[in-house]
Amino acid sequence: MARRKGRILAFQALFSWDMGNGDVASMMEFPWTRGSSSQTEVQNESEAFARLLVAGTIEHVAEIDEVIKRHLDSWDFKRINRVDLAILRISVYPLLYQKDLHPSIVINEAVDISKEFGSDDSYKFVNAVLDNIKKELGGA
């Protein structure tokens, strides 16, 4: 549960970063989650995981974008919906750099997040791109 929440926080922060809404440091404090004075262990774990995803994704964003571009069948990178792009980026990062996470879990989470936050067909697009990347990387 903590990792799922962490992925959602990372997606939200990365989307905001991509839209130019603030600096990375302030976004990684996740101010939109602050409603109560108590921090739960799950919340702390979610935020720590989200920070890892956001920092790693931003550090490697040029490489991640190149991988995404290679797997866009007849689609222009500049036309990707910003929600879909944020989801793809936070998903490609672990596929490339966090080998301890199983690719199927990463892709399933990305599909679920795209169903919740994306357009009606976002999940199909996200699934297809990530599945092609997983195949290239030799993932099962």
Side-chain angles (χ1 to χ4, degrees):
M1 185 63 113
R3 286 199 170 197
R4 168 65 187 250
K5 288 182 178 187
R7 284 184 179 93
I8 291 171
L9 288 174
F11 149 71
Q12 292 169 331
L14 199 61
F15 176 82
S16 185
W17 171 79
D18 193 38
M19 298 302 289
N21 297 331
D23 66 300
V24 175
S26 64
M27 281 184 296
M28 292 210 313
E29 291 302 315
F30 311 108
W32 61 92
T33 65
R34 304 294 182 247
S36 68
S37 60
S38 65
Q39 279 285 92
T40 66
E41 187 176 327
V42 171
Q43 182 72 13
N44 290 334
E45 189 179 328
S46 297
E47 289 181 7
F49 183 64
R51 283 185 192 96
L52 174 73
L53 285 177
V54 172
T57 300
I58 290 173
E59 180 181 347
H60 298 284
V61 74
E63 300 156 67
I64 290 167
D65 286 354
E66 285 305 314
V67 170
I68 293 169
K69 288 175 187 176
R70 284 198 315 264
H71 295 89
L72 296 176
D73 296 330
S74 304
W75 194 261
D76 183 9
F77 182 81
K78 293 176 186 172
R79 291 187 57 216
I80 298 175
N81 174 304
R82 292 294 166 209
V83 168
D84 296 346
L85 183 57
I87 294 167
L88 285 170
R89 284 174 168 164
I90 65 152
S91 302
V92 172
Y93 171 73
L95 291 176
L96 294 175
Y97 300 103
Q98 293 180 310
K99 299 300 184 180
D100 59 321
L101 297 177
H102 196 279
S104 295
I105 293 171
V106 172
I107 294 171
N108 287 340
E109 289 288 333
V111 167
D112 287 345
I113 293 169
S114 65
K115 285 179 180 178
E116 186 173 345
F117 294 96
S119 65
D120 289 342
D121 290 332
S122 286
Y123 75 96
K124 294 175 188 175
F125 174 73
V126 167
N127 186 59
V129 173
L130 293 176
D131 192 52
N132 286 335
I133 292 169
K134 177 184 83 166
K135 288 176 185 172
E136 177 186 286
L137 297 173

